[in-house]
Amino acid sequence: MSPTAPPLAGKLAGLRSSAIRDLLELAERPDVLSLAGGLPDAALMPRERIAAATESALTDARSLQYTGSPGWGPLREVLAARESVKLGRTVPTAEVFVTHGSQQALALLAEVLLDPGALVVVEDPAYVGALQVFRAAGARIAAIPLDDDGMRLDLLAELLARGERPALVHTVSTFHNPGGVTMSAARRAELAELAAAHGFWVIEDDPYGELWFDGPPPAPVAAHGANVIRLSSASKILAPALRVGWMVAPVRVARAVELLKQGADLCGSALTQQVAAELLADELWLAGHVDRVRDAYGQRAKALVGAVREEFGARLRCTDAAGGMFVWGEFTDGTDTAALLPVAVEAGVAFVPGAAFAVEAGYRSALRMCFTTSDAASLTEAVARLGRAAQSTQP
């Protein structure tokens, strides 16, 4: 008799691998210029400065020891000072919680704030990592479309007027992934007001806020209300490998997250948190470093957008990249980007089809393009290859 295989948890039935992660393997071919990834440029990461900070941290044996579940104390103090400036109020250290990247914060918050069947509101198109977390939590998901000013709060207000009561609303308010837009100042204040009036949480996911090109974005949603939990990360301005993310949340939420984190991984890395603390506290050096990253990304964004508009004209509308890492485009002639992708890869260019970011269905004629890891000449060539691929699929 053959053995009966033990079952896996039922919640896995509704989960699927990220199409973006799967696509990255395809895009790693050396002959492919990839617009698909969502990675910062490793060449711009401060390796020498990280090495020096690591050497400094290792002079103390405690850097190799366990640290507190909420994070290394001096790092939390540095983060509290930085967040106080952003939010325009004094952020106590007790409200700052360090996680293994901001994605872990999102996953832990889903466990703290959501019961199975709870309603979660997300933006559409949506950040794929958030969809994976909320689906794993067994949440009902309602999608609110974006426009040039971010989430359509008029549609959120209609949902609330119908009697729906979300447990939380998730927003990538600044330089949206994948939509490329930024929520206006007025909508940020309105979203915080709706949260206070109707008793739901807002999770403001802000990994890209410091990567602005022409001017800083509006004050965070978290500056406007107490029901907003703010997430951010050092991955996009320092290095993803540090795995330093954080949240700013009311103390009762932070303490609940701490209980769950103790069961997940006890604590983060004392070593990388000390490295991050040194770099984030060195304000003069950090300002110069981030300026260099902004300048490089800004030039690349303009090169990509300019090439798309010259190559495609009115056939492909794309967002203006005012910051962040992504440009969102939509074909106006009904081109199916999922069908276009294999043709494009054979032509030597990869992108992410828009359907990968749809909550249910849609965005069949859309695509997301990342500009951070290629120089201007490579981006221009990538768009030329995309143009040839798109031309070959026309009847």
Side-chain angles (χ1 to χ4, degrees):
M1 177 182 293
S2 60
T4 300
L8 300 178
K11 66 182 180 181
L12 291 172
L15 301 184
R16 57 182 182 268
S17 176
S18 166
I20 302 169
R21 294 290 177 265
D22 298 341
L23 178 58
L24 287 179
E25 296 181 9
L26 180 66
E28 285 176 354
R29 284 175 25 185
D31 59 324
V32 174
L33 293 173
S34 181
L35 305 174
L39 308 175
D41 188 350
L44 294 173
M45 295 175 194
R47 286 174 290 176
E48 293 182 0
R49 189 73 173 81
I50 290 173
T54 303
E55 184 175 0
S56 175
L58 287 171
T59 61
D60 187 338
R62 290 174 296 179
S63 65
L64 300 178
Q65 189 54 275
Y66 291 109
T67 189
S69 297
W72 191 57
L75 173 59
R76 295 172 67 208
E77 293 172 5
V78 169
L79 294 172
R82 286 172 54 81
E83 293 293 329
S84 294
V85 173
K86 293 179 186 296
L87 300 184
R89 66 174 178 86
T90 299
V91 174
T93 304
E95 294 183 5
V96 177
F97 196 98
V98 181
T99 54
H100 193 75
S102 60
Q103 184 70 18
Q104 186 189 47
L106 188 59
L108 292 172
L109 284 169
E111 293 188 61
V112 166
L113 304 179
L114 300 177
D115 292 315
L119 178 63
V120 172
V121 173
V122 300
E123 293 154 327
D124 199 12
Y127 168 53
V128 171
L131 290 180
Q132 290 177 308
V133 164
F134 299 143
R135 285 170 175 155
R140 292 187 299 125
I141 298 176
I144 301 290
L146 298 167
D147 63 16
D148 290 344
D149 289 324
M151 181 186 287
R152 288 274 309 275
L153 295 188
D154 58 324
L155 299 181
L156 176 60
E158 289 179 10
L159 180 146
L160 295 168
R162 293 195 299 268
E164 291 279 15
R165 287 296 174 264
L168 66 87
V169 173
H170 177 266
T171 178
V172 184
S173 57
T174 303
F175 311 132
H176 188 271
N177 175 15
V181 298
T182 293
M183 185 181 288
S184 68
R187 287 193 190 177
R188 292 170 188 238
E190 183 183 355
L191 179 56
E193 290 168 4
L194 287 171
H198 295 277
F200 59 81
W201 294 103
V202 175
I203 297 180
E204 181 181 24
D205 218 338
D206 184 23
Y208 312 108
E210 296 198 47
L211 299 179
W212 48 266
F213 304 149
D214 300 320
V221 180
H224 299 285
N227 286 15
V228 185
I229 299 168
R230 175 173 155 77
L231 310 184
S232 195
S233 168
S235 293
K236 306 306 187 293
I237 59 170
L238 294 177
L242 293 176
R243 304 314 300 137
V244 173
W246 58 89
M247 72 174 187
V248 178
V251 172
R252 67 188 180 98
V253 174
R255 295 292 75 80
V257 168
E258 181 177 358
L259 291 175
L260 289 175
K261 185 172 171 60
Q262 289 171 351
D265 64 1
L266 295 180
C267 64
S269 164
L271 178 60
T272 61
Q273 289 185 25
Q274 288 180 58
V275 170
E278 179 175 327
L279 271 59
L280 292 172
D282 190 345
E283 295 181 1
L284 184 61
W285 170 85
L286 183 65
H289 166 69
V290 174
D291 279 345
R292 286 189 291 275
V293 175
R294 288 182 189 134
D295 182 63
Y297 287 176
Q299 292 182 40
R300 295 171 191 181
K302 289 176 183 176
L304 176 60
V305 171
V308 167
R309 289 174 177 166
E310 182 174 350
E311 177 73 31
F312 291 96
R315 185 184 175 195
L316 178 57
R317 292 194 306 260
C318 68
T319 53
D320 288 308
M325 297 170 55
F326 306 106
V327 169
W328 179 257
E330 295 191 55
F331 281 96
T332 58
D333 61 358
T335 295
D336 186 326
T337 53
L340 174 61
L341 178 60
V343 181
V345 170
E346 286 307 306
V349 63
F351 58 84
V352 185
F357 305 97
V359 177
E360 295 295 340
Y363 304 109
R364 300 295 301 179
S365 294
L367 72 166
R368 189 196 76 175
M369 297 170 282
C370 179
F371 50 76
T372 54
T373 54
S374 298
D375 60 25
S378 297
L379 291 166
T380 301
E381 173 60 22
V383 173
R385 294 181 186 184
L386 181 61
R388 290 193 291 271
Q391 188 65 32
S392 71
T393 63
Q394 286 190 311

